């Protein structure tokens, strides 16, 4: 079903806002992860990991799910479709993968936040998990940047499914040469 | 330019967007999506490269997990050492 122009713009606005928010929140997360990994100030490190736990559950996860959901509605409600163009399909795959990886990483984030709340957080504690947070959020930012590039440039290319659907539409509505 | 797949007047006749496509001598361009429909039906190079990079990354992650450097080991070690939030 094709959405009306006003509804399409509303959903698109929600999608863009969610995506921008997701990007900004992950950037903040990366800054906190770097502070937690390299800072010598124990109180700052403890605060950083506790804040990371809060923004993960109350900012990043909701924005990621919102971005995925509004993106799907935008695709389904316009002639772009979900599976018709490679760039849309690529965005869907990357967004689903990024969301899954994010949800998996909520466990070590919770572990760090809980440890920071209960202990003095020595610099050697959970060193690999702390490094993992930096790598994961850095990788996440790269994926989000790729998603942004795909949205802006919309590289050409229709899938076989998209080509078939287009051919079906042409068959259903006989062509009229408007160039004459 | 080849017109193997779509005639220049392509989507102009579809019921969904009767006035959203204009035709010219070079082919049809969808005004809403900006997509040209006169391209050959092949998988674009950027898709092949992207899928290759994606598969490579997945392979690296699998190898890291199999060699004990993956996510699961980090989490289990953390839980064993510190008890974790589930106690």
């Amino acid at each position: 079903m094709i959405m009306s122009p006003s509804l399409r713009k509303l959903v698109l606005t929600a999608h863009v806002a969610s995506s921008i928010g997701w990007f900004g929140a992950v950037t903040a997360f990366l800054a906190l992860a770097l502070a937690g990994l390299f800072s010598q100030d124990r109180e700052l490190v403890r605060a950083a990991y506790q804040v990371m736990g809060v923004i993960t559950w109350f900012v990043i996860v909701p924005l990621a799910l919102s971005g995925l959901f509004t993106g799907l509605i935008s695709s389904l409600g316009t002639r772009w479709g979900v599976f018709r163009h490679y760039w849309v399909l690529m965005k869907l795959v990357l967004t689903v993968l990024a969301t899954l990886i994010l949800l998996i990483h909520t466990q070590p984030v919770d572990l760090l936040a809980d440890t920071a709340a209960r202990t003095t957080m020595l610099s050697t504690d959970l060193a690999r998990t702390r490094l993992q947070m930096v790598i994961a959020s850095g990788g996440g930012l790269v994926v989000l940047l790729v998603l942004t590039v795909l949205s802006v440039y919309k590289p050409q290319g229709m899938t076989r499914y998209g080509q078939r659907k287009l051919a079906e539409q042409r068959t259903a509505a006989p062509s009229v040469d408007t160039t004459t | 330019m080849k017109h193997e797949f779509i005639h220049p007047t392509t989507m102009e006749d579809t019921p969904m967007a009767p006035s959203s496509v204009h035709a010219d001598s070079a082919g049809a361009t969808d005004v809403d999506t900006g997509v040209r429909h006169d391209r050959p039906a092949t998988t674009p190079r950027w898709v092949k490269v992207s899928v290759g990079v994606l598969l490579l990354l997945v392979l690296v992650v699998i190898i890291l997990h199999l060699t004990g450097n993956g996510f699961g080991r980090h989490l289990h070690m953390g839980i064993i050492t510190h008890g974790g939030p589930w106690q």
Side-chain angles (χ1 to χ4, degrees), chain A residues 156-169:
Chain A
Q156 297 282 348
M158 284 188 96
T159 63
R160 289 179 192 279
Y161 171 77
Q163 292 163 12
R164 197 169 62 243
K165 294 296 284 184
L166 201 56
E168 285 172 9
Q169 288 167 4

Side-chain angles (χ1 to χ4, degrees), chain A residues 24-164:
Chain A
V26 174
T27 306
F29 186 97
L30 176 60
L32 291 169
L34 285 169
L37 188 64
F38 294 115
S39 176
Q40 299 301 315
D41 184 339
R42 286 186 183 180
E43 288 307 309
L44 175 64
V45 171
R46 290 182 64 204
Y49 286 121
Q50 289 179 72
V51 172
M52 280 165 63
V54 173
I55 65 170
T56 295
W57 282 111
F58 295 102
V59 182
I60 298 177
V61 169
L63 286 174
L65 294 176
S66 168
L68 177 60
F69 186 63
T70 53
L72 271 174
I73 294 175
S74 263
S75 302
L76 290 170
T78 63
R79 294 192 303 118
W80 283 108
V82 177
F83 303 105
R84 295 185 182 195
H85 298 269
Y86 280 113
W87 75 268
V88 179
L89 188 58
M90 192 71 77
K91 273 196 74 181
L92 176 66
V93 170
L94 287 176
T95 305
V96 169
L97 278 178
T99 305
L100 284 176
I101 291 171
L102 166 67
L103 293 175
I104 289 171
H105 278 89
T106 55
Q107 288 190 356
V109 169
D110 281 345
L111 176 66
L112 283 168
D114 186 67
T115 306
R118 288 193 291 111
T119 68
T120 53
M121 203 79 192
L122 297 172
S123 60
T124 51
D125 285 349
L126 300 169
R128 293 176 72 180
T129 307
R130 293 159 75 173
L131 177 63
Q132 186 189 6
M133 291 298 103
V134 173
I135 294 171
S137 52
L141 270 185
V142 171
V143 171
L144 292 174
L145 192 62
V146 170
L147 292 176
T148 307
V149 168
L150 284 173
S151 298
V152 172
Y153 285 89
K154 297 179 177 59
Q156 297 282 348
M158 284 188 96
T159 63
R160 289 179 192 279
Y161 171 77
Q163 292 163 12
R164 197 169 62 243

